Amino acid sequence: MKRQHSHLKNSLLWVLFFRILLLTVCLGITIVLEQEEADLISASIDYVVLFTTLIYIFTIFSAVLTKKIPYLRVFSCLQIIVDVFLITLLIVYTQSSQSIFMIIYFFPIICGAFLLHHKGGLFIAAITSLCYGAVLYAEFSGISAYFIPGFKSHLPNPETGLHHFAVFGIIFFLVAVLSSTLAERLYRVERALTKTSHDLDQLSYLYKQIFDDINTGIITVDDQGLVTSFNRAAEKITAYKNSEIFGRKAADYLPQLYEENIVDPENRSMFWLNRKDGGKIPIGYSWTPLNINEGNGKSRVYTIQDLSRIKEMEDKVRQAEKMAAIGKMAAGLAHEFRNPIAAISGASQVLKKEIPGNSSYDGLIKIISRESERLEVTIRDFLQFSKPAVPEKSWASLSVIVDEVIEILSQATGWADCYRVVKDFPDNFDIWGDAGQVKQIIINLVVNAADSMEEKGGVITVSVEDKEIDSNETVVVRVSDNGKGFTETNLKKIFDPFYTSRKNGTGLGLATVKQLVEGHGGTVWAANKQKGPGAIISFTLPLPS
């Protein structure tokens, strides 16, 4: 409705403009011919000037009202009726039935048909016919002679007047019918065109949204090899901005992608992409020709996708398969080794009792006992890593768990008084998880921290933080020390099974930590302290939603 109102207002302003233009041209021609003694104007030239001035003022006033008045359809009808009366006056003062401006009557009729449609056109045609009939009657009856000095009638009898009225009346209505028919068709075409344009805009907007928001990178090149489009995903994958690559040779920026012999368009290939920032990532891509009418047929559209996460998932699957194989092997090792180890350990205890303490075999017996015990610990860790229990989650006090860890370690062999564990969190802080498994996680982390500080000892701090990760409430637990920290190599491998930098380590402590944390749906990572010596190992425990 608002659009139709705006369209009617603009159309009415054009009608007012054409009124001024038509009046100026017609009166200008008339005055020029009058100066040539053509005897076209029956009135004084002063009246013509006054008439023209009044019409200009009225038109300007109407144009101002057009922008403010709410009822534009009624106002448009009144303006067209005024035009009919103005043209009637012009015809009366330019020889009435013999006026050369009779054709101007068609102007308001056509405007009425276009602004007011079919009924409006017929209504204006009827008013025009009545006005023209009044002109003929005034001329034949001599009324015009009373107002126009020297006026001469050109209608010798009523039949001539009726002939003029009938002919022009029929023409007026024919023009109204034809104009309204064309106006209706034009309106329908314009409405269909507007709808088509709107649909096209919507489709273009939808295409742009899909093109920009899709996770797959899309790059199009023309037959000259110039980049013609480059979406946001392509920017993210390649680290190039659209402004940097648009309109330039694709081969200069993405040479691996643009080599013609590197990929069959029917299949998807993979290559390592050198990003703008120096990184190198695996990319899967394919291309298809663009069927454009103009060009040599070498235009293409490329789709690219970052395969980094897929590669990571493949590595995790391979790791899981390896862990499954280790689990099967661990079960066999437990059966094969545990009984002989128990026998060796028991035999060493018997020998220790039978042989005097100062015997030369006493050292050998101690070695047998110590190594048997170490082998038993290794097998126990191995079994725990290969067959982790499913966590039975519940709310548990982290303070109680850490206190139990401190008590267990204080009684363990090899734990020195120089190691001090500090709790840096409130006593009433609770976590959601399997208390037994969380205890094992913290034991392994504290033992690892103590080993990093060696025999000089130090402070091991357990701290926590509530944090929102991926819209999920999560508890982050950190175990930090003031030891020597990690090397770059250790940071990359410390959670790998059987990797250890300790002489007597099994390489399963932190690997077990990672497995237990992931069993809770969390993640674990390690880093060196930014200030001072030492390292921090952090893990997350998601809270129930």
Side-chain angles (χ1 to χ4, degrees), residues 13-46:
L13 290 174
W14 275 107
V15 169
L16 298 177
F17 169 74
F18 278 113
R19 176 197 293 171
I20 294 292
L21 180 63
L22 191 62
L23 177 67
T24 302
V25 172
C26 292
L27 289 181
I29 293 173
T30 304
I31 292 173
V32 171
L33 294 177
E34 189 69 18
Q35 290 177 355
E36 298 293 334
E37 298 182 355
D39 197 21
L40 296 176
I41 303 177
S42 302
S44 170
I45 192 68
D46 295 334

Side-chain angles (χ1 to χ4, degrees), residues 139-163:
E139 181 181 355
F140 177 74
S141 62
I143 296 176
S144 299
Y146 287 105
F147 299 97
I148 305 173
F151 180 81
K152 295 179 181 180
S153 176
H154 298 280
L155 299 176
N157 50 62
E159 289 77 11
T160 305
L162 288 173
H163 177 265

Side-chain angles (χ1 to χ4, degrees), residues 340-354 365 368-369:
I341 290 173
I344 294 172
S345 179
S348 66
Q349 295 297 326
V350 173
L351 288 174
K352 186 175 182 180
K353 292 179 181 180
E354 296 293 332
I365 293 173
I368 293 173
S369 299

